[in-house]
Amino acid sequence: MGTGCGCGCGGADTRQPAFVRPRFFAGQLLTEDDLGLLVDYMTAKSRLHNRSLSGPGVVCGLDVACAPCGGGTVVVHPGHALDCAGHDIVVTCAEQVDVRALVRELRVSSLGADCGDPCEADGSRGYGLFVRYEESQIEPVAPYATEEPCGSTGCVPSRIQEGFRFVVRHDADAEDHRHNPGTRLLAILGDLDRADRARARDRRLGLHTDAVSAALLAPERAFRFDAADARRYADALAWLRANSGGDGALPPTTARRMTEHVRALAAAVARFDTYDRAGQSGLIRDYPDLGSVQDARGSLGAACDRLAGTDTEAVWPGPLHRSIARAVVTETKARLMTGQGEKDTPLEVRLLAQGTPLSHALRVEFRADLTLIRDWLLARLDQTDALADCALRAEIAAIDTPLPLPPPEPLSVEPTTAVELRQIAEAAAALTAAVRRFVTDAACSTLSPPCVDCSDTDVLLAHVRFDGCDVVRICSATREQVLPGGSAYGEWLPKLHQLRELAERLCCQPVPRYQQPAIPAEGPVPRPYAEGLLDDWPRTGDLEEMLSLLLTPAPGETPPEALREETRTAPADVTESLEELA
């Protein structure tokens, strides 16, 4: 039996209180309270079912048509509707509705004065015709005398008659009772631009995390150079030799292709440099093209010089890709112009070998990104109670993010340390997993429709347009219809089976944790080249498909409503103080 929503915790029940029905037994003295309780119980249960299982709208009939004699009158045909409080509205026979009189009544109630009939001067205008549930007490009878000291002295109504009345309102005043689950998702994620900004930076960190971990796990071992690396080396070198000449400005398309070929060739040369002298000699025997590795360094230098003179903002409009492209140029020129040939190659070269260059400027951005993602997660967790990952907030709060640093010089090549990289990698791995846990919980929580209270119990029947005093057009096509599952489920039932299937694969699975790349005990380290680092990063997988279904409205579906949040900007003196402290 329900006991309300407080549960001893100071809460308040804002919906239907616990249902109580009478229990009859032999010899019981029945009073009006007992019989009234039975009626109230049955009525309340029926309205609860109407409200929760069906939702508001027209069940059947209630077509609105032009009156035979025209003028300002329409005909409402018999039918059945439910309002958002669960009341049944039943029109048993055709009703002649004087819409012009209802418009006059609306004007009088709005203005508080009767200013005559102004319809002649109004021209064309539109209204919504609604039906509203009403009750009236009828059939009064005189009660028998009782022993009550203050009994009724007159007649008392013995029946309650359920009825209705027609009203008109302006079209824009109708309340939309439909629910889109994307609205609930946006309430959890908050401002979508901020969420996208945090998730995009999290995605970029995720593309580097494995590479940084691999560079730290085996700092004295070479990265395996295989046939795929040899093909990449030959193709990129041939392209750069053919296209690095000239002095004019590079078109954006050519600059992007050149950057990608520089990254590919730099990765192959950097892998070569992770081998010792004997290992490099063995590679040249296996892949004769590597005999031109010194020429390849020259081609890389020439290409980097050409790219350094391009307008990177025009070539790379997105700031996240632009930073990676700049890192490709600065790190390639700083680390690969001379061969290493030693086991203890710098960490920057080991990152270049995997196709994931990490410059000083990019490390500074990563530090700022880690703080941004952590703060965004904690802020969202403080403003939502819809998540089921009970340990998430404490784990995020315990993540040790490195302190932000001021922006470095554009061409800074300050080397990194293992301590700095390890701190970045550990924080990035933890936050990447935390973002996925948070967004997964947010998406899964939308599949339970909320119980929504309503304030507007009128049911729209039709939009009516006047020309002068005459009704000239009636449209009933856009009114709400009762749908299976009610307003909370009805309009997105076509998506429900897909969402449930995705939820089975996502929502009740073990919490995802970051797994470091597996490194064999001996021999060269097998690491893939980071394909597509400079391409658009497609969002794929079950979680992204689920988010797309929730946030992309189908034709005719109610779009999700984003919340408006207040934006607070720190004063300039506070920002400067924080940068100075960092």
Side-chain angles (χ1 to χ4, degrees), residues 129-318:
L129 175 63
F130 296 79
V131 64
R132 177 181 298 170
Y133 174 83
E134 284 192 342
E135 293 181 350
S136 57
Q137 298 180 353
I138 61 173
E139 298 188 20
V141 297
Y144 289 102
T146 65
E147 296 181 357
E148 294 290 336
C150 299
S152 176
T153 57
C155 293
V156 178
S158 61
R159 301 287 186 271
I160 294 178
Q161 178 173 296
E162 296 184 349
F164 57 87
R165 64 181 297 234
F166 297 103
V167 295
V168 296
R169 290 157 47 187
H170 294 287
D171 285 344
D173 293 341
E175 180 178 329
D176 191 344
H177 299 99
R178 294 174 295 178
H179 167 70
N180 187 300
T183 300
R184 182 178 176 89
L185 177 61
L186 291 178
I188 298 173
L189 296 181
D191 181 80
L192 198 55
D193 288 338
R194 297 181 199 173
D196 284 342
R197 187 161 57 248
R199 293 190 67 215
R201 281 156 175 76
D202 170 73
R203 182 69 182 274
R204 184 173 68 168
L205 284 167
L207 294 172
H208 284 75
T209 302
D210 278 356
V212 172
S213 298
L216 293 169
L217 288 172
E220 297 182 355
R221 290 162 58 188
F223 283 114
R224 186 172 65 191
F225 192 104
D226 56 20
D229 298 303
R231 286 193 301 272
R232 193 178 302 111
Y233 171 89
D235 293 343
L237 180 57
W239 192 95
L240 290 177
R241 282 173 173 172
N243 295 275
S244 295
D247 298 326
L250 290 171
T253 302
T254 304
R256 285 194 291 270
R257 292 186 64 190
M258 183 174 290
T259 305
E260 189 58 84
H261 283 294
V262 166
R263 187 172 74 93
L265 182 58
V269 173
R271 284 178 188 254
F272 178 85
D273 286 348
T274 61
Y275 285 78
D276 58 15
R277 298 298 183 187
Q280 290 178 355
S281 298
L283 287 177
I284 293 174
R285 285 194 304 270
D286 294 337
Y287 306 106
D289 285 345
L290 289 176
S292 62
V293 70
Q294 294 305 321
D295 291 339
R297 298 182 198 278
S299 296
L300 284 173
C304 288
D305 288 340
R306 289 219 64 190
L307 290 172
T310 60
D311 183 356
T312 54
E313 293 188 4
V315 176
W316 305 96

Side-chain angles (χ1 to χ4, degrees), residues 64 74 76 97-107 125-132 165-175 456 458-466 471 473-480:
V64 182
V74 299
V76 178
V97 181
D98 188 347
V99 183
R100 182 173 55 188
L102 295 178
V103 170
R104 182 187 183 91
E105 181 182 331
L106 173 66
R107 288 170 176 265
R125 66 203 187 284
Y127 295 93
L129 175 63
F130 296 79
V131 64
R132 177 181 298 170
R165 64 181 297 234
F166 297 103
V167 295
V168 296
R169 290 157 47 187
H170 294 287
D171 285 344
D173 293 341
E175 180 178 329
D456 180 8
D458 294 344
V459 179
L460 176 66
L461 298 182
H463 299 282
V464 180
R465 179 153 292 279
F466 276 84
V471 174
R473 182 66 177 164
I474 301 169
C475 178
S476 302
T478 58
R479 66 186 184 182
E480 286 185 311

Side-chain angles (χ1 to χ4, degrees), residues 304 327-338 340 346 348-349 352 411-414:
C304 288
V328 169
V329 175
T330 56
E331 288 299 292
T332 298
K333 195 166 183 179
R335 315 295 176 187
L336 298 182
M337 292 303 97
T338 59
Q340 301 295 325
E348 291 86 357
V349 175
L352 272 171
L411 301 179
S412 173
V413 291
E414 180 180 331

Side-chain angles (χ1 to χ4, degrees), residues 34-85:
D34 299 306
L35 299 177
L37 179 60
L38 178 60
V39 173
D40 292 343
Y41 172 83
M42 297 303 297
T43 303
K45 269 297 181 71
S46 174
R47 290 174 180 171
L48 174 64
H49 290 174
N50 286 345
R51 182 171 63 247
S52 300
L53 299 181
S54 300
V58 175
V59 179
C60 63
L62 295 178
D63 298 314
V64 182
C66 302
C69 298
T73 303
V74 299
V75 176
V76 178
H77 292 279
H80 178 202
L82 301 175
D83 69 12
C84 66

Side-chain angles (χ1 to χ4, degrees), residues 466-508:
F466 276 84
D467 186 4
C469 294
D470 297 331
V471 174
V472 294
R473 182 66 177 164
I474 301 169
C475 178
S476 302
T478 58
R479 66 186 184 182
E480 286 185 311
Q481 302 288 145
V482 170
L483 298 169
S487 58
Y489 263 130
E491 74 161 8
W492 54 286
L493 273 177
K495 294 181 177 181
L496 189 57
H497 70 283
Q498 296 173 272
L499 290 170
R500 288 297 183 193
E501 181 182 353
L502 291 167
E504 288 180 3
R505 300 201 294 263
L506 281 174
C507 300
C508 297

